[in-house]
Amino acid sequence: MADGSEPRVGDQRPGGRAARVRDAVLAATTELLDEGGYDAVTYEELARRAGVHKTTVYRRWPSRAELVADALDLHSEEAIPIPDSGSFVGDLRLLAHAVAANISSEAGARRSTSIVAAAIADADVADTVRRFMSRRIAIAQPIVERAIARGEIGDAADPHIVIESLVGPIWFRLLLTGEPLDPPFLDALADAVASR
Amino acid sequence: MADGSEPRVGDQRPGGRAARVRDAVLAATTELLDEGGYDAVTYEELARRAGVHKTTVYRRWPSRAELVADALDLHSEEAIPIPDSGSFVGDLRLLAHAVAANISSEAGARRSTSIVAAAIADADVADTVRRFMSRRIAIAQPIVERAIARGEIGDAADPHIVIESLVGPIWFRLLLTGEPLDPPFLDALADAVASR
């Protein structure tokens, strides 16, 4: 800060200093996740990169799991926009490609797999990851609701299960089989989900 | 052994002593995975439980990852028989229930998630898990091939992707969302995959 003081995180004016600090801390969190995985996220290094006191970070995010969840929320909003292409299969293809791109790049795989490992090792992290994933699935459900409204699919389709059916096999390849997340697979998967 | 000697693992007569030792070591491996996860699988404890010398285990399985993969193969053959109920949706439902039961019991979840964590931490374990999962997917593919032969689905269906589409969302719930692997979900998933 120019006056040498830190921004107050309690200051909630949109676009104010607190918002800038929040964004800087969360961006630094994603950076660290991408560079070194979950274990690389330390309050010391975060504070250094975001240019704030460590206590500022602790005050706002007493738990690393919550900090990581907020960083993932912000990152996902940008990296995985929910498509609205006008067709069900088009939306599913776009979503499949975005999810795959986000978790299968070298940095994205490091971020994603290290968070899964942390969740397996620690019940608090697992809870946080679960809430994050539930939010992401909920955010994507309008893809299905719009397809139902357009009459492309019947209204018996469960939006939640449809999104899980698209996203689940992508994570399955990343975590279990290591098979490529390439366009032919992603399109075939989206087409199969769309044709139910 | 009654004569105080150990069976020779090279002795490949079916049902012979080597086969009994092999089965005993692999059963002990699964036991340890269920009790304490991947890290609990030590050659010392395995040898003790199987009643053989540690060197016998080392000679046959120089790598713990290969040992675990063999144990998983044997366990999966028994725990997840590939159904042949006469209908595509029936087979998919049975397979979904068997997979879910195998990985979501307390012991099964400990075994499954600890292996995923080990694979994330170690590239050799990851390779072994990948080969194991590929074998399991290949073993299940006749479910799809028989449905094509019966005319229940078109021959454009990719058996590999169909099985991934069923199994992927089950693992996704186990590892990412923690949502229940209950009969309504498993049946809805199987029905959706069958109706493509």
Side-chain angles (χ1 to χ4, degrees):
Chain A
M1 299 295 116
D3 62 2
S5 70
E6 284 199 37
R8 293 276 302 275
V9 174
D11 176 354
Q12 292 300 338
R13 286 170 302 170
R17 289 187 302 178
R20 284 197 302 275
V21 167
R22 182 176 185 279
D23 289 354
V25 172
L26 296 181
T29 304
T30 302
E31 253 180 43
L32 289 172
L33 286 169
D34 285 1
E35 289 172 17
Y38 190 84
D39 291 340
V41 179
T42 64
Y43 284 83
E44 286 76 5
E45 182 61 16
L46 271 180
R48 200 188 63 76
R49 292 195 182 196
V52 298
H53 290 156
K54 204 169 73 172
T55 47
T56 305
V57 186
Y58 268 118
R59 222 165 21 229
R60 174 67 184 80
W61 294 278
S63 119
R64 183 163 66 162
E66 286 297 335
L67 170 64
V68 167
D70 280 359
L72 290 177
D73 274 331
L74 187 64
H75 169 77
S76 301
E77 271 174 38
E78 292 164 5
I80 312 178
I82 304 307
D84 187 5
S85 67
S87 89
F88 188 39
V89 68
D91 285 354
L92 292 176
R93 282 185 174 212
L94 287 167
L95 181 62
H97 283 265
V99 169
N102 185 50
I103 65 176
S104 69
S105 67
E106 194 182 323
R110 192 178 299 120
R111 177 186 353 109
S112 308
T113 60
S114 71
I115 289 169
V116 170
I120 289 169
D122 182 320
D124 285 342
V125 179
D127 280 348
T128 310
V129 169
R130 286 165 184 186
R131 286 198 299 272
F132 163 73
M133 289 304 309
S134 297
R135 281 194 297 276
R136 293 302 305 173
I137 293 171
I139 287 169
Q141 286 178 203
I143 290 173
V144 186
E145 292 155 5
R146 286 193 301 257
I148 293 172
R150 284 191 300 258
E152 287 184 272
I153 53 172
D155 62 5
D158 179 326
H160 190 79
I161 292 184
V162 170
I163 300 302
E164 287 180 288
S165 296
L166 185 76
V167 175
I170 297 173
W171 280 91
F172 182 69
R173 284 202 166 194
L174 178 75
L175 295 170
L176 274 308
T177 69
E179 290 186 65
L181 295 171
D182 53 14
F185 168 68
L186 298 169
D187 290 343
L189 182 63
D191 293 358
V193 172
S195 69
R196 286 174 182 186
Chain B
M1 299 295 118
D3 61 1
S5 71
E6 283 199 39
R8 295 271 306 275
V9 174
D11 176 354
Q12 292 300 336
R13 286 171 302 171
R17 289 187 304 178
R20 285 198 300 276
V21 167
R22 183 177 184 280
D23 288 353
V25 171
L26 296 181
T29 303
T30 302
E31 253 180 42
L32 290 172
L33 286 168
D34 285 2
E35 289 172 16
Y38 190 84
D39 290 341
V41 179
T42 64
Y43 285 83
E44 286 77 5
E45 183 59 18
L46 271 180
R48 200 187 65 75
R49 293 195 182 197
V52 298
H53 291 157
K54 205 170 73 173
T55 48
T56 305
V57 186
Y58 268 120
R59 223 165 21 228
R60 173 66 184 82
W61 293 279
S63 118
R64 183 163 67 161
E66 286 297 336
L67 170 63
V68 167
D70 281 359
L72 290 177
D73 274 331
L74 186 64
H75 170 77
S76 301
E77 271 173 39
E78 292 163 5
I80 312 178
I82 303 307
D84 187 6
S85 67
S87 88
F88 188 39
V89 68
D91 285 353
L92 292 175
R93 282 184 174 213
L94 288 167
L95 182 62
H97 283 265
V99 169
N102 186 51
I103 65 177
S104 69
S105 67
E106 194 183 324
R110 193 178 299 119
R111 176 185 356 109
S112 308
T113 60
S114 71
I115 289 169
V116 170
I120 290 169
D122 182 320
D124 286 341
V125 179
D127 280 348
T128 311
V129 169
R130 286 166 184 186
R131 286 197 299 273
F132 163 72
M133 290 302 310
S134 297
R135 282 194 298 277
R136 293 301 307 173
I137 293 171
I139 286 170
Q141 286 177 205
I143 289 173
V144 187
E145 292 154 6
R146 286 192 302 258
I148 293 172
R150 285 191 298 259
E152 287 185 272
I153 53 171
D155 61 5
D158 179 325
H160 190 81
I161 292 183
V162 170
I163 300 301
E164 286 180 288
S165 297
L166 184 77
V167 175
I170 297 173
W171 280 90
F172 181 70
R173 284 202 166 193
L174 178 76
L175 295 169
L176 274 307
T177 69
E179 289 186 65
L181 295 171
D182 52 15
F185 168 68
L186 297 168
D187 290 343
L189 181 63
D191 294 357
V193 172
S195 70
R196 284 176 181 184

